[in-house]
């Protein structure tokens, strides 16, 4: 079967690691993001086809789907583009930040999903009986548990979780799996730096004295969901470092058996 997957937000962090992992297992990959230079570097390393696209822009997303269709189609989609802005309270936060988070984490996911569904269906028509195509949405544990200062990011990721469940119901009966991967603490280069608007020292703090997940950890589990037998749909995968037993409990220091 054709194994070609579109990964949004592939210019850094989890998205880039996901493209690398898929490529390592022989998948054809389409890497999507706004920063062309980073996509080019990833293409040189992995052979990915690259498409520069802002997922919040419907015209650009329509062009993305056309290009994917014209260059070989796709049997998989990973909606990973997203991020957080700010840690202010609901009272003190800004609507501009909230709008941006909703645009990328929710509207962007909807744009790409809606544009790519006909492409996935085209591929599905040529599959052998029993084979399936796949959509996986990268949400967060912030889409399942609210926390103080989470405001707009919690709201956006809760929405992305809800949309994933709606989509699974709406696609019932089609050979398209709909999966969600919700990671906890992942140390990527840019996520917290962007959230804290460039405060490099502050951006290191969540990862101090703890072993967080890496982008590669998330990518390995994510690709594993695609590599399950085609009738298996992992509806929701929650992935945390051992040191983080909930959004509210992160153990700092070595992990040790109790006396
Ligand atoms: N790191 C964590 O702790 C963590 C935990 C749970 C969930 N997540 C989620 O996992 C996903 C990836 O996170 P990450 O840590 O890898 O963050 P990251 O390194 O900041 O990556 C975000 C990616 O999204 C892309 N992107 C942002 N806005 C976009 C837009 N409008 N159009 C197209 N691409 C866009 C960025 O590329 P360009 O700027 O080049 O467009 C970048 O490649 C996000 O959805 C995030 O919310 C992260």
């Amino acid at each position: 079967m054709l194994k070609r997957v579109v990964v949004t937000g592939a210019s850094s962090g989890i998205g880039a690691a996901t493209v690398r992992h898929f490529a390592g297992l022989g998948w054809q990959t389409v890497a999507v993001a706004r920063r062309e230079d980073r996509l080019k570097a990833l293409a040189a390393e992995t052979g990915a086809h690259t498409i520069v696209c802002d997922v919040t822009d419907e015209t650009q997303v329509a062009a993305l789907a056309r290009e994917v269709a014209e260059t070989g189609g796709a049997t998989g989609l990973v909606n990973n583009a997203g991020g957080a802005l700010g840690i202010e309270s609901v009272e003190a936060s800004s609507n501009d930040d909230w709008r941006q988070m909703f645009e990328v984490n929710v509207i962007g996911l909807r744009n790409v999903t809606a544009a790519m569904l006909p492409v996935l269906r085209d591929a599905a028509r040529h599959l052998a009986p029993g084979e399936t195509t796949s959509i996986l949405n990268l949400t967060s544990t912030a889409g399942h548990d609210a926390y103080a200062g989470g405001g707009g990011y919690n709201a956006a990721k809760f929405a992305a979780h809800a949309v994933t469940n709606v989509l699974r119901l709406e696609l019932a009966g089609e050979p398209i799996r709909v999966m969600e991967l919700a990671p906890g603490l992942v140390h990527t280069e840019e996520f917290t730096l962007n959230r804290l608007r460039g405060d490099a020292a502050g951006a290191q703090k969540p990862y101090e004295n703890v072993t967080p997940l890496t982008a590669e950890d998330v990518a390995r589990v994510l690709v594993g969901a695609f590599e399950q037998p085609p009738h298996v749909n992992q509806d929701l995968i929650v992935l945390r470092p051992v040191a983080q037993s909930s959004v509210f409990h992160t153990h700092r220091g070595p992990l040790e058996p109790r006396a």
Side-chain angles (χ1 to χ4, degrees):
M1 126 174 185
L2 171 71
K3 288 173 112 182
R4 190 167 194 244
V5 62
V6 176
V7 181
T8 69
S11 62
S12 63
I14 294 168
T18 297
V19 168
R20 287 191 189 99
H21 207 83
F22 270 121
L25 291 179
W27 284 69
Q28 295 177 48
T29 57
V30 180
V32 178
R34 292 167 302 179
R35 285 172 294 176
E36 187 171 21
D37 53 335
R38 283 175 160 260
L39 291 180
K40 286 249 158 71
L42 186 64
E45 183 192 333
T46 62
H49 180 92
T50 63
I51 301 179
V52 175
C53 174
D54 181 336
V55 297
T56 68
D57 181 318
E58 271 187 282
T59 308
Q60 291 186 33
V61 170
L64 156 77
R66 269 197 309 277
E67 185 169 336
V68 173
E70 287 165 8
T71 56
T75 46
L77 168 64
V78 179
N79 283 308
N80 164 75
L85 271 180
I87 50 168
E88 295 81 12
S89 65
V90 171
E91 184 180 11
S93 52
S94 98
N95 282 341
D96 281 348
D97 286 348
W98 283 51
R99 280 194 194 96
Q100 278 191 53
M101 285 188 273
F102 204 80
E103 281 285 331
V104 66
N105 291 291
V106 187
I107 306 289
L109 180 155
R110 197 212 72 83
N111 279 342
V112 177
T113 303
M116 282 297 302
L117 269 172
V119 181
L120 292 173
R121 286 195 180 104
D122 276 351
R125 284 186 195 99
H126 299 99
L127 294 177
E131 289 184 334
T132 50
T133 59
S134 308
I135 299 172
L136 184 143
N137 294 335
L138 214 304
T139 62
S140 170
T141 50
H144 297 265
D145 290 304
Y147 55 89
Y153 187 57
N154 281 141
K157 289 299 196 187
F158 267 73
H161 164 62
V163 171
T164 309
N165 286 349
V166 171
L167 194 63
R168 191 177 308 109
L169 293 167
E170 291 177 353
L171 299 182
E174 297 198 68
I176 307 175
R177 338 189 235 207
V178 180
M179 301 175 283
E180 173 183 352
L181 174 53
L185 186 69
V186 189
H187 193 178
T188 55
E189 236 174 274
E190 300 186 344
F191 177 83
T192 308
L193 194 61
N194 288 337
R195 182 171 203 173
L196 301 184
R197 307 175 212 283
D199 170 5
Q204 286 311 312
K205 288 227 159 63
Y207 314 112
E208 276 171 8
N209 223 2
V210 66
T211 305
L213 298 172
T214 63
E216 290 69 30
D217 293 328
V218 180
R220 194 173 56 250
V221 171
L222 188 163
V223 175
F226 278 71
E227 291 281 337
Q228 291 300 310
H231 64 287
V232 175
N233 193 109
Q234 289 188 273
D235 287 16
L236 170 62
I237 304 163
V238 179
L239 187 68
R240 301 183 212 267
V242 176
Q244 190 187 36
S245 46
S246 85
V247 168
F248 312 102
H249 300 89
T250 301
H251 177 83
R252 310 270 163 192
L255 301 175
E256 286 168 344
R258 289 203 183 92

